[in-house]
Amino acid sequence: MSRSLAGKVALVTGGSRGIGRAIAQRLAADGALVAVHYGRQAEAAAAVVAAIEADGGQAFALGQPLGVAGDVAGLFGQLDAVMARRTGSTRLDILVNNAGVATHADLAGTTSELFDEHFAINARAPFFITQAAAERMDAGGRVITIGTGLTKQVKPELVAYAMSKAAIDVMSQTLAKELAPRGITVNVVAPGVVDTDMNAGWLRGDDAARAHAEGMSPFGRLTEPEDVASVVAFAASDDARFVTGQFLDATGGAVL
């Protein structure tokens, strides 16, 4: 453990699986006390907390579905209560907006329900979670949102997803300017194609699809969750104190 984040408190939304799990484990390994948020996967979140604690880190789980009425108030009500008990403060140092949904659908196949779900979870929730988090941050705070290379590369079958993530790019640039006077940085980290549950429907069991996805990067492989977690760890560290409003490309060159 580097302990570069010792004494820091981090909230990772969607931290129970895939990229979120890798991020939570990396931030904990770097010394942060990590709140592992989950929507419905309580057992998976408990497993992440157990793994972190087995490695000598500190973590706890918070359950709150996003994209529903009262989601942000419910999440921060739980977070504040736990933090008050554990540290005597509700201060938050690092927010990682990782939770998201992605459904394959082109223009004709995108229903209003699917469209609304993507914006509720991928754009609205991160905005108001960031609003609440910023109220609890001091100078040195970090807001990091997981974006996508699909705001730089067009794929018609993911139009609603890409649109919702494009909102994140604009949000992060704008809030970077607003929060800089307070010493808070705001950045986007964009993964490439990762073999997670989100992509399981088309990536697993289809050799041609997998080969195509691997070929998108000049490195000839898929993005590993740890690849993304390493970039997030940098953005969360003091080394990134003068980096803000940036789109940090962790696609392995897939959008070159």
Side-chain angles (χ1 to χ4, degrees):
M1 295 186 181
S2 70
R3 314 303 298 179
S4 61
L5 298 179
K8 303 292 186 181
V9 178
L11 168 62
V12 180
T13 67
S16 64
R17 296 180 297 170
I19 294 172
R21 176 177 181 136
I23 292 170
Q25 291 181 302
R26 174 57 188 270
L27 297 182
D30 286 353
L33 168 60
V34 181
V36 179
H37 161 264
Y38 66 92
R40 295 177 177 84
Q41 300 289 329
E43 290 185 3
V48 177
V49 172
I52 288 172
E53 292 178 340
D55 288 337
Q58 300 181 76
F60 58 92
L62 298 173
Q64 173 62 57
L66 300 181
V68 298
D71 52 0
V72 177
L75 174 61
F76 279 89
Q78 293 179 64
L79 178 63
D80 288 347
V82 174
M83 291 309 303
R85 290 196 306 269
R86 294 187 67 144
T87 69
S89 168
T90 58
R91 191 193 81 248
L92 181 66
D93 302 293
I94 301 161
L95 168 65
V96 182
N97 288 307
N98 167 73
V101 294
T103 301
H104 280 65
D106 60 9
L107 175 63
T110 300
T111 64
S112 60
E113 291 80 10
L114 183 150
F115 188 92
D116 289 346
E117 178 189 35
H118 279 68
F119 273 83
I121 296 175
N122 296 351
R124 184 184 186 279
F127 179 88
F128 287 104
I129 289 171
T130 300
Q131 182 187 71
E135 294 173 354
R136 292 158 172 81
M137 286 184 175
D138 296 327
R142 301 283 186 266
V143 176
I144 303 155
T145 304
I146 302 303
T148 179
L150 294 180
T151 59
K152 312 296 181 184
Q153 181 184 63
V154 174
K155 287 199 176 296
E157 68 273 20
L158 284 164
V159 59
Y161 173 71
M163 288 175 66
S164 66
K165 288 295 189 177
I168 289 300
D169 292 352
V170 174
M171 177 193 86
S172 298
Q173 288 183 327
T174 305
L175 297 186
K177 195 165 189 177
E178 178 176 347
L179 297 178
R182 293 178 49 197
I184 298 170
T185 67
V186 186
N187 291 292
V188 173
V189 174
V193 179
V194 186
D195 187 0
T196 61
D197 291 346
M198 180 181 286
N199 294 319
W202 66 276
L203 194 58
R204 298 174 186 172
D206 187 333
D207 292 342
R210 190 177 189 91
H212 173 73
E214 290 173 343
M216 292 172 66
S217 166
F219 292 110
R221 68 169 177 84
L222 299 178
T223 304
E224 297 291 339
E226 291 74 19
D227 296 328
V228 185
S230 293
V231 180
V232 171
F234 162 71
S237 74
D238 188 59
D239 289 340
R241 60 191 174 276
F242 212 54
V243 177
T244 197
Q246 298 304 302
F247 180 92
L248 302 176
D249 187 334
T251 69
V255 297
L256 292 175

